[in-house]
Amino acid sequence: MTQPFIALTFDDGPHPVNTPRLLDLLKQRNVKATFYVVGTNAKRYPEIMRRIVAEGHEIGNHTVTHPNLSKMSAEGVRNELRVCHEAIVSATGVAPRTMRPPYGAITSAQKSWIKKEFGYSTILWSVDPEDWKRPGSSVVTSRLLSGAGPGGILLVHDIHAPTIDAMPSTIDQLLAKGYQFVTVTQLLAMEPKG
Ligand code: NI
């Protein structure tokens, strides 16, 4: 892929304070992102879920309780995905189209049956600045910028305030480099098939 498209993804929310602040920042820049929500938070903050969708962002499934799926039975995995799916649909009326396994932990067999049963593509990432270790906003920004490339998927967490603090500088510098922000599903649609 040579076009400078990039996807910004936010995991583990929504968060009652940080997610609305992030949505304000994204709106000011007309940047669309993808939110991999946890089902417990989706149920708790349905108004924030609706705002995410109303402002043109995408929501993906990040399970209900954030377990390591690779160590679970098929029935356990199915339940995690189904309950989160239902929470997203119940809050927003929109069905998620992709999932991200917590910790990136998933087997290839699980990916395959999840695609068949739920229709989900399993989405990991190309850049992980490890913002959850709280390295500081400027470090999050510099790691994202140095890892970013065309077709990239950036992973951060909208439950951490310093990550939100890092977003204006990160987004503005990526925009200045010519990147266009798209959702994960938009990015997938651009990938050459085959
Ligand atoms: Ni997560």
Side-chain angles (χ1 to χ4, degrees), residues 11-12 36 38 62 66 101-103 157:
D11 284 16
D12 298 356
Y36 284 99
V38 169
H62 197 46
H66 209 271
Y103 320 105
H157 298 81

Side-chain angles (χ1 to χ4, degrees), residues 78-99:
R78 187 175 287 118
N79 193 56
E80 281 285 337
L81 293 174
R82 183 182 52 77
V83 175
C84 184
H85 185 104
E86 287 169 0
I88 294 168
V89 171
S90 164
T92 68
V94 179
R97 295 169 66 180
T98 69
M99 68 85 71

Side-chain angles (χ1 to χ4, degrees), residues 102-123:
Y103 320 105
I106 192 163
T107 69
S108 54
Q110 287 175 327
K111 276 193 214 177
S112 171
W113 72 252
I114 287 168
K115 177 73 180 173
K116 281 188 197 129
E117 278 192 30
F118 288 88
Y120 292 158
S121 297
T122 295
I123 304 298

Side-chain angles (χ1 to χ4, degrees), residues 122-172:
T122 295
I123 304 298
L124 299 179
W125 53 83
S126 60
V127 187
D128 175 6
E130 299 193 319
D131 62 323
W132 56 274
K133 291 183 180 171
R134 300 182 176 268
S137 298
S138 61
V139 172
V140 171
T141 293
S142 66
R143 288 175 179 170
L144 289 170
L145 288 168
S146 62
I153 298 178
L154 311 182
L155 163 67
V156 284
H157 298 81
D158 56 325
I159 55 174
H160 300 309
T163 297
I164 313 304
D165 296 336
M167 286 302 108
S169 165
T170 303
I171 292 169
D172 291 345

